[in-house]
Amino acid sequence: MRSHVAVLVAVLVALMASVAAAVAVRVTHDDGDRFDRRDGMMSSQWDRRTDRSGEGQRRGWRGPGGMVSGSGATHGMRAGGEYTYLAEMIAHHEEAVVAAQALERSERAQMRSFGEAIVGSQSAQIDQMQEWLADWYPDRSGQVDYQPMMRDLTGLEGDRLDRAFLEDMLGHHMRAVMMSQQLLMRGVATHDPVEVLAETIRDEQRAEVVQMRRWLRAWFEGGWQHGVCGGGAGAMPRGMPGGM
């Protein structure tokens, strides 16, 4: 009797093991198919949004939280290649320089110094990138279809000026960080100095993001809650990491 019971138990154990193995194989296969489909979708989206025109025109791509202009259009965050990265970053920097110059009117010494630092650093980077485009891509225009990310700060003073600048420049900096990181991760730069510049932009602006969030919390109680790109209704998401 005991021998029969032992045989039955052994058979049941073997059957259960076979079922478990079959389920595991099925789950693994399904997961693999799901990841393959997801990766294929991401690759397809990347192909559609990568610049093919040669003019560096931006394709919309929504990252974590997205960056939405006042018109509802998305701001691209991925660099399609070295030329596109340089052309777009020049336009991006030029907007930052104009906005930072408005901080000459700020009542806070920290903000005035911050504006001067942005103007100095990014103006020098603009000059360098323009030289590279002229040397390496003389047959290309260097023009991009740039969508502004900053509000017009012309009529703002005092706290309104500082807060609008910090809220908008946070998203502006994050886009530069993401573009630079994408260029580095994809390894599409064909000249080593471009990689060095991308690392510098990423690291400098990431540190400045942290500082701007600190100022928003200290001066305006609650940090980055109401940032708007392009002066429209697109609210910037609270909780996007400041130290990406």
Side-chain angles (χ1 to χ4, degrees):
M1 182 66 179
R2 290 180 179 177
S3 62
H4 289 302
V5 171
V7 170
L8 288 173
V9 169
V11 170
L12 287 173
V13 169
L15 287 172
M16 291 175 65
S18 299
V19 171
V23 171
V25 169
R26 174 68 178 177
V27 170
T28 301
H29 178 71
D30 289 346
D31 284 349
D33 287 347
R34 184 158 55 249
F35 283 120
D36 288 343
R37 287 194 297 271
R38 185 190 68 181
D39 290 343
M41 183 182 300
M42 291 176 68
S43 176
S44 175
Q45 290 172 345
W46 171 262
D47 291 342
R48 288 197 302 272
R49 290 163 179 165
T50 299
D51 170 46
R52 297 192 188 95
S53 67
E55 293 301 323
Q57 292 187 343
R58 187 172 292 104
R59 302 293 189 267
W61 179 81
R62 183 178 295 272
M67 294 188 186
V68 185
S69 72
S71 63
T74 57
H75 292 278
M77 294 182 193
R78 295 194 177 198
E82 180 180 273
Y83 168 81
T84 303
Y85 174 82
L86 292 172
E88 289 193 358
M89 193 60 75
I90 287 171
H92 192 258
H93 273 26
E94 287 174 340
E95 183 182 33
V97 167
V98 171
Q101 288 171 339
L103 294 182
E104 295 174 357
R105 305 192 309 272
S106 176
E107 298 172 1
R108 292 181 170 91
Q110 301 101 308
M111 292 294 287
R112 293 194 298 272
S113 296
F114 186 46
E116 291 173 1
I118 290 176
V119 170
S121 173
Q122 297 200 25
S123 294
Q125 290 172 351
I126 288 170
D127 291 342
Q128 180 63 81
M129 289 187 285
Q130 287 176 333
E131 288 181 12
W132 287 339
L133 285 180
D135 291 343
W136 301 335
Y137 304 98
D139 298 329
R140 306 183 75 170
S141 69
Q143 301 299 310
V144 295
D145 182 18
Y146 184 76
Q147 300 179 43
M149 297 184 67
M150 301 287 296
R151 278 171 277 189
D152 182 1
L153 304 176
T154 303
L156 301 183
E157 303 287 344
D159 280 354
R160 291 181 63 211
L161 169 63
D162 291 351
R163 183 166 190 166
F165 178 88
L166 291 172
E167 288 173 344
D168 288 4
M169 193 57 78
L170 270 170
H172 200 270
H173 269 35
M174 286 180 180
R175 182 180 184 279
V177 169
M178 292 177 187
M179 283 182 61
S180 299
Q181 185 65 15
Q182 286 293 332
L183 181 85
L184 294 167
M185 289 178 63
R186 295 180 62 225
V188 294
T190 55
H191 298 86
D192 291 342
V194 176
E195 287 195 354
V196 174
L197 176 65
E199 290 173 351
T200 299
I201 291 173
R202 178 198 62 194
D203 296 344
E204 284 183 351
Q205 298 204 21
R206 184 164 50 189
E208 290 173 353
V209 162
V210 173
Q211 180 60 70
M212 287 189 286
R213 292 191 65 165
R214 287 173 180 161
W215 283 335
L216 276 171
R217 285 194 298 268
W219 298 336
F220 304 110
E221 298 181 0
W224 187 32
Q225 298 180 50
H226 307 293
V228 179
C229 290
M236 299 298 292
R238 187 179 185 183
M240 181 178 285
M244 290 181 300

